[in-house]
Amino acid sequence: MTFDAEWSQLRAAAADKQSTRMRLNHADSGGAASTSSQGDLVVNQDDLGRVGHEAYTLHGRLKKAGDITRGAKDDGSTSKAATVLSSHHFTMGDALTTTAMVWNDQLKTLLQACAHISNHLDYTKKSHTNEDAKIAASMARRDSSAMPVSEISKYCK
């Protein structure tokens, strides 16, 4: 097989793969694989609450158990051990100090991430609840009853 023929086959194969690749920038047209109508993202308030609570719980546990610079009696046993080793000219003392510093930096980063997740999900939950209440009030019927989805969908066409 010549180079040109092989190159043509490879380009054709790549084009075939390109046309069947998944697209993430639009909703599914409603085929059999679609699990929700119109490709809507559905998140329940309970889901947000559980994830936020787990992040809050993890933050508390990490803050309590993750600090290796304190010992069982909060005497700074890791730092004390590093100092004693260094004073006796063991290079392990400097390595232990570096390890403790890196650990604490990573721990602080993880604690901040957990706090952000928890706070953001709490905010999101409250914000969506408020938005849902505003939307429900603006989409109510004249008699103040909730407008059904089938009636709302008439306005979206």
Side-chain angles (χ1 to χ4, degrees), residues 132-149:
D132 284 347
K134 287 180 190 176
I135 291 169
S138 68
M139 296 295 292
R141 291 182 170 169
R142 289 189 182 121
D143 64 356
S144 299
S145 65
M147 189 180 294
V149 174

Side-chain angles (χ1 to χ4, degrees), residues 73-150:
K73 297 179 183 176
D74 293 337
D75 61 354
S77 60
T78 304
S79 299
K80 188 182 281 185
T83 303
V84 170
L85 287 168
S86 293
S87 69
H88 291 292
H89 307 292
F90 285 99
T91 56
M92 181 66 152
D94 291 336
L96 186 57
T97 299
T98 302
T99 301
M101 288 173 45
V102 169
W103 174 268
N104 283 331
D105 288 345
Q106 295 294 320
L107 178 65
K108 288 176 187 175
T109 301
L110 187 56
L111 287 170
Q112 288 175 353
C114 289
H116 282 303
I117 290 168
S118 178
N119 292 341
H120 181 71
L121 289 176
D122 286 344
Y123 170 78
T124 301
K125 184 177 176 182
K126 289 176 189 172
S127 174
H128 283 283
T129 300
N130 292 339
E131 286 299 313
D132 284 347
K134 287 180 190 176
I135 291 169
S138 68
M139 296 295 292
R141 291 182 170 169
R142 289 189 182 121
D143 64 356
S144 299
S145 65
M147 189 180 294
V149 174
S150 60

